[in-house]
Amino acid sequence: MSPATDTTTGTATGAGTNRPAGASQAVGDPLGTRLRRARPVVLALLLLTAVVLSTLCLRPQVSKVPLAIDNPTSTGTMALAELLRAQGVSVRSTSSWSDALTASQDGATLALVSPQSLSPDEREDLARAGGDVVVLSDLYQSLAGLTQATVTGASTSKDTVLEAGCQDPDALAAARLPGARGSVTATDTSGHQIPGATGCFPLGPSAGPSQHSYAYLTAPLPSGATLRVIADNQLVTNATLAQQGAAALAVRALGHHREVVWFDADYRDVTSLWDSPDLPRQLPVLVLLALAVLAALAGVRGRRMGRLVPDPLPVVVRSTETTLGRGHLYRRAHDHAHAAGVLRAGTLARLRPRLGLPRHCETALVAQAAARVTGLPEPYLDQLLAGPPPHDNQALTDLASQLDHLESEVHS
């Protein structure tokens, strides 16, 4: 009966699969079928990715940085940038100090925000660069290096209308400004008039009858270019630009040349360690050379030592032999405390589940449960399971015998 069954089964199998003996049976659909089945999902994902990328690329890049030319909020200056572009002036921003200085040397007008974030030496370099500088200032910002004029805290309310009060063409075109927060003087710290400086839109005396503060100041630079200071940078923001003649003054002050480079010193690129003038120029090359030498040494030493080769054990060691060998080591080392700890830990691990206790319960609970089951005194069990370690071989042997007896009593 069995051979017939085997023959029938073999025939049926051979007819059903029509596959030679020993061939492996494929599981699942072929790869091409699975790819064709997943084609709609892949096309949908590709379409979704294309939509997301096109949305990100076509979305206008705006920021929320105050006084930024790509900031459309009330604190930004996007409106001023668009007005300048409408007059044919190229406007771009930069966060690199070297780029801003180079642009000024090439004759572009530099719109400088937060001048106090530049060092006096950097302001002196800018004053000698050759391009016009328009400072969009704020309260008590330092202009040292650019001019001897001082930015003060004298201010007026926004409801105040400031008259030009000077012969500067840009100020006359603007005629009036709203009240300014902050001002600038046309005199130095000693109270002497700065040669060639013109103050416009006076706010009134700031430090005495002879020293007046102004919302707008022009002064010559050492390079022969012109410095223009708008004491309240809020006058050029989107929220205030349309008030009085703020737009006319800002466009004319910045529009004397075909290019305006906007530089906010508070958001300049962070200078890296390699850009520090205190380090030698050859330091990056030396560091790279040292890394190359270390890599070469590592390669040489690695090849010399070779790769790690596994060393399989030549024989299989029985567990009983391992236990006996470990016991001999304990005896030779006279480490009775460690051996006793291992014996007690093993006994506790076997007693806890037998007594229905958690795996990590305290030894005192094991002693209590074992006392109830075996009838042995609980103090004796406490001493047996957690007492002081034995001091000689005989005491260790006695402990092992007592622990074995306890397990026997619990299991019985």
Side-chain angles (χ1 to χ4, degrees), residues 161-237:
V161 177
L162 303 177
E163 302 290 340
C166 67
Q167 298 303 314
D168 181 79
D170 299 338
L172 291 175
R176 294 179 180 84
L177 288 181
R181 184 192 66 175
S183 58
V184 61
T185 65
T187 56
D188 56 21
T189 55
S190 301
H192 298 96
Q193 182 73 21
I194 300 174
T198 301
C200 301
F201 302 100
L203 277 68
S206 59
S210 61
Q211 186 171 352
H212 288 75
S213 55
Y214 303 91
Y216 179 68
L217 173 77
T218 64
L221 291 171
S223 64
T226 303
L227 170 69
R228 298 177 176 88
V229 180
I230 299 178
D232 183 6
N233 55 30
Q234 298 302 309
L235 294 175
V236 301
T237 60

Side-chain angles (χ1 to χ4, degrees), residues 320-396:
T320 54
E321 295 181 11
T322 305
T323 304
L324 290 174
R326 190 174 300 169
H328 290 313
L329 290 176
Y330 287 153
R331 183 177 63 183
R332 185 179 303 173
H334 301 288
D335 195 356
H336 306 102
H338 183 77
V342 172
L343 291 173
R344 283 169 169 164
T347 301
L348 289 171
R350 291 185 292 271
L351 288 179
R352 287 188 181 105
R354 186 69 179 179
L355 296 172
L357 298 174
R359 293 179 56 186
H360 302 289
C361 68
E362 297 179 356
T363 306
L365 297 178
V366 178
Q368 293 176 5
R372 289 194 300 269
V373 172
T374 62
L376 296 174
E378 184 177 338
Y380 164 73
L381 295 179
D382 276 329
Q383 185 74 11
L384 179 62
L385 295 174
H391 299 288
D392 52 24
N393 292 337
Q394 184 60 45
L396 181 61

Side-chain angles (χ1 to χ4, degrees), residues 100-125:
L101 188 61
T102 301
S104 181
Q105 292 170 347
D106 293 339
T109 298
L110 184 69
L112 177 59
V113 184
S114 306
Q116 82 284 350
S117 295
L118 295 178
S119 67
D121 292 339
E122 289 174 330
R123 289 193 287 265
E124 289 181 4
D125 292 340

Side-chain angles (χ1 to χ4, degrees), residues 78-158:
M78 181 179 284
L80 175 57
E82 293 302 322
L83 288 176
L84 288 169
R85 293 187 179 109
Q87 298 298 319
V89 179
S90 171
V91 184
R92 67 179 180 90
S93 64
T94 182
S95 57
S96 169
W97 165 243
S98 60
D99 181 24
L101 188 61
T102 301
S104 181
Q105 292 170 347
D106 293 339
T109 298
L110 184 69
L112 177 59
V113 184
S114 306
Q116 82 284 350
S117 295
L118 295 178
S119 67
D121 292 339
E122 289 174 330
R123 289 193 287 265
E124 289 181 4
D125 292 340
L126 183 59
R128 300 189 186 98
D132 288 355
V133 179
V134 179
V135 175
L136 305 177
S137 187
D138 203 350
L139 295 174
Y140 301 108
Q141 291 192 356
S142 176
L143 301 179
L146 280 172
T147 179
Q148 295 178 332
T150 304
V151 177
T152 70
S155 306
T156 60
S157 66
K158 290 298 181 180

